[in-house]
Amino acid sequence: MGKKIFVSYKYGDTSVKSLKEQLEEFYNPTKVRDYVDVIQEKIGAEHVNKGEKDGEDLSSFKESTIASKLRDKIFDSSVTIILISPNMVDRTLPESDQWIPWEISYSLREQTRADRTSRTNGILSIVLPDRYGSYNYYLEPSNCPCCNAIIFQTQKVFNIIGGNMFNHKKKHEQIIACSNHSTTIYPANCSYILTTDWETFLRNPNLWIDSAAERNINEYNVQKTV
């Protein structure tokens, strides 16, 4: 069954793998927005991209103003897709002055209008390949032959994303044992934000979207504020 999807992304980030021919790429570099177009083609016309455009300054806005801009876009969606890209975070600005954290925050809140309540969205993060086709900037392989664990570089994304990773209320009951690691290893379902890479997502988009939608928020300690 089709889902109503909100896509959150850094519109103008060009630090991603090219989707264009060499000459076109030279004059018009691939942006994250170009990946949104591919997603739209893959998931069909029934899914609508409601994401905010890049470059809109929130620094002087009150929360009520932000709400008026985002609630209408997010209220009617059930799944939010976050496109992780190498330069999605502007380190020169507070996170509260950037669109993506607010879009995630509103996606995680319950909103009531008249007799209708919009529930917390399922969240799917898709890691885009960098210019060299690698995901290692965020998904770093441990190269462990026993468990094939992936190290999530959550310090490189917004706090509200990192805060909703490995946040299952009973995650310590699901620890994966591996004698090769001094760090704790958890299975993928220990994070409210479901994560995959671009190529894996394209192989079965509906599987990933449905899996995100089926997350039970009551099983997680969800961070909803920026």
Side-chain angles (χ1 to χ4, degrees):
M1 182 177 179
K3 303 291 190 301
K4 294 182 178 180
I5 297 170
F6 181 90
V7 184
S8 183
Y9 57 97
K10 183 66 177 291
Y11 185 104
D13 188 357
T14 59
S15 61
V16 289
K17 184 179 179 181
S18 173
L19 294 175
K20 303 174 181 179
E21 297 295 331
Q22 186 174 0
L23 185 60
E24 183 184 2
E25 181 71 20
F26 180 80
Y27 290 104
N28 184 22
T30 296
K31 301 180 179 66
V32 173
R33 181 64 181 83
D34 296 310
Y35 280 84
V36 179
D37 293 338
V38 177
I39 289 175
Q40 190 63 59
E41 293 174 4
K42 290 291 184 180
I43 63 180
E46 62 184 319
H47 301 297
V48 180
N49 167 30
K50 300 179 180 181
E52 202 67 48
K53 291 185 178 180
D54 185 51
E56 298 187 54
D57 183 13
L58 297 183
S59 59
S60 62
F61 289 175
K62 295 180 180 179
E63 185 170 347
S64 59
T65 305
I66 298 169
S68 69
K69 289 178 174 292
L70 298 183
R71 280 179 182 164
D72 289 344
K73 296 174 179 292
I74 298 173
F75 183 83
D76 198 36
S77 64
S78 59
V79 175
T80 294
I81 292 177
I82 309 166
L83 297 186
I84 306 291
S85 58
N87 292 327
M88 71 183 298
V89 181
D90 186 342
R91 299 297 179 185
T92 68
L93 294 174
E95 293 193 6
S96 58
D97 292 348
Q98 300 179 58
W99 274 116
I100 294 174
W102 282 108
E103 290 170 346
I104 298 170
S105 176
Y106 279 105
S107 296
L108 291 168
R109 300 181 189 183
E110 291 189 354
Q111 306 284 346
T112 300
R113 296 180 178 182
D115 60 347
R116 183 184 173 193
T117 298
S118 176
R119 303 297 180 187
T120 298
N121 279 14
I123 309 289
L124 170 64
S125 69
I126 303 173
V127 184
L128 302 183
D130 66 16
R131 289 192 183 100
Y132 307 102
S134 173
Y135 304 102
N136 291 6
Y137 68 92
Y138 185 62
L139 302 176
E140 181 183 350
S142 66
N143 297 318
C144 175
C146 298
C147 65
N148 295 314
I150 299 293
I151 301 170
F152 284 68
Q153 302 292 335
T154 55
Q155 76 280 5
K156 295 184 179 180
V157 294
F158 292 106
N159 290 330
I160 196 168
I161 298 176
N164 287 298
M165 300 298 296
F166 310 108
N167 60 335
H168 196 284
K169 292 177 180 178
K170 296 183 178 180
K171 65 180 181 181
H172 295 301
E173 298 177 8
Q174 304 179 53
I175 293 175
I176 297 174
C178 181
S179 58
N180 289 342
H181 289 281
S182 58
T183 55
T184 306
I185 306 171
Y186 298 106
N189 65 352
C190 278
S191 297
Y192 186 73
I193 296 180
L194 183 62
T195 301
T196 187
D197 63 67
W198 176 248
E199 293 164 278
T200 303
F201 170 75
L202 289 183
R203 285 197 287 270
N204 197 338
N206 287 331
L207 172 65
W208 288 98
I209 292 169
D210 290 344
S211 296
E214 291 166 2
R215 281 284 201 261
N216 182 353
I217 192 173
N218 296 319
E219 297 179 358
Y220 299 84
N221 294 311
V222 175
Q223 175 184 328
K224 299 186 178 184
T225 57
V226 175

